[in-house]
Amino acid sequence: MKSPVNRQAPIKVVIAKPGLDGHDRGAKVVARALRDSGMEVVYTGIYQTPESILRAVVQEDADVLGLSSLSGAHLEYAKELCQLLRDNGRDDVLFLVGGTVPPEDADTLRGYGVHEVFGPGTPTSALVEFITSNANQGR
Amino acid sequence: MDIMTGNGDQRWDEHVEQWRRERVAADYERIPPRRAEFRTSSGTKVKDVYTSADIRDSDPETDIGLPGEYPYTRGVHSTMYRGRPWTIRQVAGFGQAEDTNNRYKYLLDAGQTGLSTDFDLPTLLGYDSDHEVYRREVGRIGVAVDTVVDMHALFDGIPLDRISTSLTINPSAAVLLAMYRVVGEERGFPGHVLTGTTQNDILKEYIAQNEFIFPPEPSVHLVVDTMEYGADVMPRFNPLNVCGYHIRDAGATAVEEVGLTLSNALCYMEKGIERGIDPDRLAPRVSFFWNVHNNFFEEAAKLRAARRLWARLTRERLGCKDPRSWLMRAHCQTSGVSLTAQQPYNNVARTAIQAMAAILGGTQSLHTNSLDEALSIPSESAIRIAVRTQAIILHETGAADVVDPLAGSYYVETLTNQIEEEARSLIERVDGMGGMIGAVESGYAAQLIADSSWEQQTRIESGDTVVVGMNDYIDENEQLDIEIDRPVPGVMERQMTRLAEVKRTREGRRVSAALGAIEKAAPDLHHNLMPLIEEAVRARATVGEICDVLRGVWGHHQPSTVF
């Protein structure tokens, strides 16, 4: 479980790209917007496995995990990550998915334990607002 | 200059100035301009009106010239689409080779005239379909190819001597190029009848699309290997298609797209020349791939500017003497990143306008995006509209009936001049970093693109840039009513079965010998690996096995985490 944290500490976010897809324009824009809004942001870079993403969440003691996927394999990666987060006692992390996700997949993702899905065209301000009002729940 | 003309110019300039001061100012007084300032997507400030004064410094003979003549501002052919229309080349690739083969036949029936292949991510990155971690991406956003057996299935029943084929592949392009040639040979189409291209532009991968395996230096040498091999054994095939497309979709402006792409092309050419290859053997086999975005006149002008700049660079800087070396032959694709998930039918209009800019800019080949691409890979019904968009432009609009109809437009010629000049100064900046390999390794190019992408996002979020249906003209009650393409079920399992079968039936000793030969030769970057890769492919070695050997020798490139 998470250790007690200082309430003044900035929200810590891990932005991750799973698998082999290198399209990371969106991931970088989101990382920059969250950092500019005062959050602490770690971008894993591309080519991550579910295990390496879990490792980043644990090591960074992250409050939020943002998964960016444009490879069509978002269901598989998100499902496996939800399982790994549960198995490692980190299902308190606010888990968000973004990218080319057909709207009908959003419910499936929520069923796995993803908290919210942000499709193309989402303003970064909406993302910042969502994270600030939902990330502190576990603190 | 003629004294009379000089006086005429001066009189005219005074008249324009007076007209602007009195007439225009008065009209703006009544109806103010819609915005404080108007800019192109590259940030170039746009005047309200352009006149002959704006292009007075352009020589109509040496700068604009005639179609099919140096510097090719007006197109690479004298007759352009009056004779042969551009190639309608839609990219397709998903599932197993058979699935994509069926889609090819559907597209050819629908009026497509060239093929273009997207490979799945494991194939692009040099992994086999049975890879423990990456197998879930098999056949997803491209077709799965492990061995030449898959390549045979992909082109089954396609007349390779009559259809030109584009293979969208970069880090593992050398392997797929060898496969294509072997498939041709085994089906009775020798290398010299094959036409098409591999994308093979690894430098843009490090700065934009991020599909790379090895570090830049050996990767660029492998590209030069394919260029040399192509010139030897597939003389009508273009092994290199230098891509602005991904640089643009990753966030670069139109000017940056031209500057960075031509810097990449110069890097490959100069590495080949360093190796002692005659530039006139290399240059005619290089083609280009551009992104066509929304800013209509800037995009048409961009193609004209890039063509002129490449002609000048190949002739003046690279010392090419053969006019075929000076030609920038171009494929264009409408802009994926401009499409919205909101009100997706609007994307049909965006794509049609972008396609029109590509055609007025003089492209040789065109892919029009499908309306559903912000949500998934295209469905068949969406692709049909995209292909028909090209037919409508060709047959119903008259846009293809006159060669370079925008020439002489004060605005278009001014933009063409500006883009050429700004792109040239970006190339000089990159030269100062030791060329593109330096600009990649220092992170300069990737940062430039990320910064431009961020600026665009900021403008969209502030409302300064209007995106219809997304940040304006929003429909709160929008219901998505389009068909979404779903992955083909069972592809991974079937692909793994086929791979196991190939491995069981091939001659193991021949495969090991071929892979051993590659391993032995790879450390010497001036040793052309293509004949060895071809032998490995012929022996039914897999993409993963060949790339593993090279990974062992050259190592991996470390992805950047800069944002």
Side-chain angles (χ1 to χ4, degrees):
Chain A
M1 284 301 289
K2 284 189 73 176
S3 50
V5 287
N6 176 358
R7 284 179 180 280
Q8 301 307 309
I11 297 172
K12 193 153 191 183
V13 187
V14 167
I15 300 290
K17 286 278 308 172
L20 296 173
D21 161 45
H23 294 91
D24 66 352
R25 177 182 184 160
K28 285 176 168 174
V29 161
V30 165
R32 202 149 161 172
L34 298 184
R35 185 186 62 194
D36 285 4
S37 77
M39 299 178 200
E40 195 179 328
V41 181
V42 175
Y43 172 42
T44 61
I46 54 178
Y47 302 157
Q48 302 299 309
T49 61
E51 289 77 14
S52 68
I53 294 169
L54 173 80
R55 214 157 39 236
V57 169
V58 171
Q59 277 169 7
E60 300 293 340
D61 195 18
D63 305 296
V64 183
L65 168 62
L67 191 77
S68 163
S69 171
L70 288 87
S71 73
H74 45 271
L75 294 178
E76 286 84 351
Y77 283 120
K79 186 177 184 182
E80 195 170 333
L81 257 168
C82 285
Q83 190 59 49
L84 281 172
L85 290 168
R86 268 196 296 276
D87 292 350
N88 290 273
R90 281 310 321 261
D91 47 344
D92 58 320
V93 77
L94 183 68
F95 185 9
L96 312 175
V97 172
T100 48
V101 177
E104 64 215 57
D105 285 359
D107 284 339
T108 316
L109 287 168
R110 285 191 206 97
Y112 294 157
V114 170
H115 294 96
E116 196 49 274
V117 179
F118 294 95
T122 307
T124 56
S125 53
L127 205 54
V128 170
E129 207 179 293
F130 184 88
I131 292 175
T132 28
S133 37
N134 293 281
N136 290 315
Q137 307 279 311
R139 293 188 168 196
Chain B
M1 185 186 281
D2 186 305
I3 291 173
M4 286 304 291
T5 320
N7 286 342
D9 284 350
Q10 199 184 345
R11 244 195 331 270
W12 175 243
D13 289 352
E14 279 164 14
H15 178 70
V16 171
E17 201 185 311
Q18 186 191 7
W19 165 84
R20 206 177 279 287
R21 210 171 44 233
E22 295 170 6
R23 180 71 191 271
V24 176
D27 284 347
Y28 280 144
E29 191 75 26
R30 219 160 36 82
I31 308 170
R34 281 186 288 118
R35 308 170 59 91
E37 56 181 24
F38 294 80
R39 290 178 183 271
T40 67
S41 65
S42 291
T44 306
K45 226 165 151 177
V46 177
K47 296 203 270 188
D48 43 10
V49 170
Y50 288 78
T51 69
S52 55
D54 292 294
I55 56 167
R56 198 168 290 147
D57 292 337
S58 283
D59 184 327
E61 284 172 28
T62 59
D63 293 328
I64 302 173
L66 287 171
E69 285 186 8
Y70 187 86
Y72 306 100
T73 316
R74 306 200 57 190
V76 294
H77 302 301
S78 60
T79 56
M80 288 303 288
Y81 316 129
R82 272 216 161 197
R84 189 173 45 178
W86 64 90
T87 304
I88 300 178
R89 193 192 295 280
Q90 298 293 108
V91 66
F94 60 97
Q96 267 195 304
E98 289 77 1
D99 303 309
T100 299
N101 182 266
N102 286 336
R103 177 66 65 92
Y104 282 166
K105 289 171 179 164
Y106 170 87
L107 286 166
L108 291 170
D109 285 346
Q112 177 165 312
T113 50
L115 296 177
S116 184
T117 315
D118 265 347
F119 296 93
D120 70 4
L121 288 164
T123 307
L124 288 180
L125 274 298
Y127 296 107
D128 291 335
S129 298
D130 57 2
H131 190 281
E132 203 180 325
V133 179
Y134 303 127
R135 62 173 68 158
R136 61 198 109 196
E137 304 195 47
V138 169
R140 278 299 163 87
I141 54 172
V143 58
V145 171
D146 293 312
T147 68
V148 76
V149 174
D150 297 319
M151 205 73 158
H152 269 292
L154 186 59
F155 293 104
D156 183 49
I158 310 274
L160 300 183
D161 55 339
R162 280 184 285 130
I163 294 282
S164 94
T165 302
S166 166
L167 307 174
T168 312
I169 187 105
N170 295 286
S172 54
V175 182
L176 275 288
L177 177 65
M179 278 187 184
Y180 191 71
R181 143 120 172 165
V182 169
V183 164
E185 197 181 72
E186 292 178 355
R187 280 184 53 200
F189 301 110
H192 65 83
V193 305
L194 301 176
T195 58
T197 185
T198 47
Q199 196 166 83
N200 205 11
D201 175 5
I202 198 65
L203 284 166
K204 60 90 189 183
E205 294 293 340
Y206 301 112
I207 62 177
Q209 190 170 249
N210 293 325
E211 305 291 357
F212 40 71
I213 306 175
F214 322 114
E217 196 76 44
S219 292
V220 168
H221 277 278
L222 195 54
V223 173
V224 176
D225 285 356
T226 61
M227 291 165 81
E228 195 177 29
Y229 169 85
D232 285 341
V233 305
M234 306 167 80
R236 293 175 63 207
F237 199 92
N238 300 329
L240 174 60
N241 182 244
V242 194
C243 292
Y245 190 85
H246 307 93
I247 292 175
R248 186 67 181 284
D249 253 21
T253 65
V255 165
E256 289 161 355
E257 180 188 355
V258 175
L260 294 173
T261 304
L262 296 191
S263 287
N264 286 343
L266 286 170
C267 177
Y268 301 121
M269 284 293 299
E270 284 169 347
K271 287 281 175 192
I273 293 167
E274 254 173 50
R275 201 188 274 190
I277 310 170
D278 177 357
D280 279 317
R281 264 186 89 210
L282 295 177
R285 304 268 56 88
V286 179
S287 59
F288 288 84
F289 175 22
W290 302 104
N291 193 316
V292 182
H293 218 285
N294 280 329
N295 198 291
F296 186 78
F297 293 106
E298 183 178 49
E299 294 303 319
K302 176 183 80 183
L303 297 180
R304 301 173 85 252
R307 211 158 36 228
R308 183 164 73 198
L309 184 50
W310 184 243
R312 288 172 170 166
L313 288 168
T314 46
R315 189 178 189 177
E316 293 160 14
R317 172 165 165 166
L318 301 175
C320 295
K321 295 186 178 66
D322 183 346
R324 283 176 309 165
S325 299
W326 306 331
L327 300 182
M328 186 203 86
R329 284 149 304 125
H331 169 70
C332 287
Q333 180 174 334
T334 57
S335 167
V337 87
S338 74
L339 304 183
T340 59
Q342 297 76 18
Q343 304 176 22
Y345 288 106
N346 293 346
N347 294 330
V348 176
R350 291 190 179 98
T351 297
I353 291 163
Q354 293 165 8
M356 186 66 117
I359 287 153
L360 295 183
T363 191
Q364 275 63 66
S365 151
L366 181 63
H367 168 109
T368 27
N369 286 341
S370 300
L371 65 96
D372 50 3
E373 290 187 35
L375 295 159
S376 71
I377 67 166
S379 68
E380 280 198 359
S381 61
I383 284 186
R384 190 166 48 235
I385 297 173
V387 178
R388 295 285 188 258
T389 301
Q390 297 199 37
I392 291 166
I393 295 174
L394 176 62
H395 298 292
E396 299 185 16
T397 65
D401 297 350
V402 172
V403 181
D404 190 27
L406 296 182
S409 149
Y410 305 133
Y411 179 38
V412 171
E413 296 298 354
T414 304
L415 280 176
T416 304
N417 293 342
Q418 281 171 343
I419 294 169
E420 182 186 4
E421 196 181 304
E422 288 171 31
R424 192 187 272 275
S425 70
L426 178 52
I427 291 169
E428 283 162 9
R429 224 173 309 147
V430 169
D431 286 341
M433 297 170 196
M436 213 47 203
I437 292 181
V440 166
E441 286 173 347
S442 69
Y444 167 79
Q447 192 65 57
L448 184 69
I449 296 169
D451 289 347
S452 292
S453 148
W454 176 248
E455 278 165 33
Q456 287 159 39
Q457 180 70 20
T458 311
R459 281 199 297 272
I460 290 170
E461 296 203 15
S462 71
D464 187 46
T465 295
V466 170
V467 182
V468 173
M470 202 174 87
N471 67 354
D472 203 350
Y473 305 89
I474 297 167
D475 182 354
E476 299 288 356
N477 302 313
E478 186 190 349
Q479 295 283 329
L480 196 73
D481 61 345
I482 59 169
E483 173 198 344
I484 296 288
D485 190 80
R486 307 306 308 187
V488 183
V491 167
M492 183 247 285
E493 292 78 5
R494 278 184 278 128
Q495 189 61 19
M496 281 170 65
T497 307
R498 176 144 78 200
L499 178 57
E501 177 65 14
V502 173
K503 283 186 178 173
R504 200 179 57 76
T505 52
R506 68 188 183 179
E507 198 189 318
R509 207 174 309 160
R510 188 176 166 200
V511 176
S512 331
L515 294 174
I518 295 174
E519 189 172 20
K520 193 155 163 267
D524 174 8
L525 292 180
H526 289 84
H527 187 127
N528 194 321
L529 294 179
M530 286 307 293
L532 302 177
I533 292 175
E534 193 187 301
E535 166 53 21
V537 161
R538 203 176 273 123
R540 273 51 184 165
T542 68
V543 174
E545 288 165 340
I546 297 169
C547 291
D548 276 346
V549 168
L550 295 174
R551 266 187 275 261
V553 178
W554 293 335
H556 285 264
H557 178 68
Q558 283 312 311
S560 120
T561 55
V562 173
F563 55 87

